Amino acid sequence: MRNLFPAIAHNVTVPSHILVIEDEPGIVDFLHRGLRAQGYEVSSALDGDHGLAKALGEEVSLVVLDMLLPGRSGLEVLETLHDAKPTLPVIVLTALGEVEHRVAGLDAGAVDYLAKPFSLAELCARIRAQLRAAAQVPSTDLRAGDVEVNLLTREVYRAGELIRLSTTEFELLVYLMRNSGRVLSREQILRAVWGYEYDPGTNVVDVYVGYLRRKLRGAGQDDPNGPRAEAPIVTVRSVGYRFNAST
Ligand code: CA
């Protein structure tokens, strides 16, 4: 018999399973008790190898990941996890001042950060936000002009031709495309793609826009000997860049 009330069937709540990968037993214990009290199912691992195995092998809704771990580092766990389960939300725990971890983690695909020491209320707020976002039907395709991005497989096409990008080039392209038609300052791009604490005097944005342009230029055109199709990223003099979807 056909279910006349499918919405009701979907309302049955299964507790979200949170995996904590952290080597400090005190914090693990604190998170176990605190998150269980919030109605979550919690499991934990005390090092990177066990954590990765659990994250890959179990039905996990969200991972809370410490960066400094014995064995496989948090960053390695993050990178492997991001390749295997790109939609799994990961909240990274960093000690105060570990800016390089934050930047590297962002590159590797972490969705959020929390600096130690943190409060349980703060962590729970972040977890709720990430689970809410993950529950929404993901829009997996991003399209602007003749450039198409699959956010799930992280494949990029221009006029149907596959373009291989590094992680940072990919994040930069996605940010530019999400703001297609808008002028973005170097500082805005730096903050969004590299993180807040990055040295504002760096020319890393220009360098990566250069890489991206080189890869996008001429891709997908029928005649390889014809004039090269320009990359759709326009320099806005003395301000920054704009993704131009109509190029
Ligand atoms: Ca640690």
Side-chain angles (χ1 to χ4, degrees):
M1 189 187 149
R2 184 180 292 218
N3 185 356
L4 294 174
F5 303 100
I8 293 172
H10 287 289
N11 271 343
V12 178
T13 44
V14 177
S16 297
H17 177 190
I18 295 172
L19 171 63
V20 176
I21 309 177
E22 161 69 76
D23 61 315
E24 288 171 56
I27 296 182
V28 173
D29 190 49
F30 164 70
L31 291 180
H32 256 280
R33 283 185 284 119
L35 294 175
R36 279 205 177 121
Q38 298 286 319
Y40 295 116
E41 193 186 305
V42 186
S43 61
S44 57
L46 292 166
D47 65 63
D49 293 297
H50 286 102
L52 186 60
K54 279 193 176 179
L56 294 176
E58 292 177 12
E59 225 20 87
V60 174
S61 322
L62 183 144
V63 177
V64 176
L65 175 67
D66 183 33
M67 269 288 152
L68 285 177
L69 292 167
R72 201 187 292 259
S73 75
L75 194 58
E76 285 175 88
V77 172
L78 191 57
E79 282 168 347
T80 310
L81 214 48
H82 191 70
D83 285 340
K85 292 186 169 179
T87 58
L88 176 64
V90 179
I91 296 177
V92 160
L93 304 178
T94 59
L96 273 178
E98 287 173 357
V99 174
E100 64 279 12
H101 282 155
R102 195 184 178 288
V103 174
L106 190 69
D107 260 354
V111 292
D112 207 353
Y113 289 83
L114 213 49
K116 290 179 181 175
F118 56 88
S119 72
L120 186 65
E122 197 179 358
L123 177 63
C124 285
R126 306 286 186 96
I127 288 174
R128 279 194 300 274
Q130 291 306 328
L131 290 177
R132 252 200 317 272
Q136 268 149 27
V137 178
S139 164
T140 55
D141 282 320
L142 201 58
R143 224 179 272 254
D146 60 357
V147 181
E148 197 184 321
V149 171
N150 185 317
L151 296 168
L152 224 55
T153 62
R154 297 173 79 84
E155 283 173 331
V156 176
Y157 295 89
R158 184 167 194 203
E161 184 182 324
L162 180 67
I163 299 166
R164 299 199 64 86
L165 299 181
S166 72
T167 306
T168 306
E169 290 162 358
F170 180 86
E171 300 296 344
L172 174 61
L173 176 65
V174 166
Y175 181 66
L176 292 172
M177 286 177 71
R178 283 203 162 124
N179 292 283
S180 177
R182 282 180 53 195
V183 178
L184 299 165
S185 71
R186 286 179 178 77
E187 290 72 27
Q188 277 177 303
I189 298 170
L190 197 59
R191 271 201 306 275
V193 179
W194 281 268
Y196 284 90
E197 290 94 347
Y198 217 88
D199 171 18
T202 175
N203 69 343
V204 70
V205 171
D206 306 283
V207 170
Y208 273 84
V209 166
Y211 293 158
L212 207 48
R213 275 181 172 154
R214 222 165 301 152
K215 290 188 177 179
L216 290 173
R217 192 177 294 143
Q221 63 191 54
D222 295 333
D223 178 6
N225 299 315
R228 309 259 284 160
E230 272 309 305
I233 303 167
V234 179
T235 303
V236 181
R237 198 204 269 262
S238 76
V239 179
Y241 298 99
R242 186 183 70 230
F243 190 94
N244 193 354
S246 58
T247 301

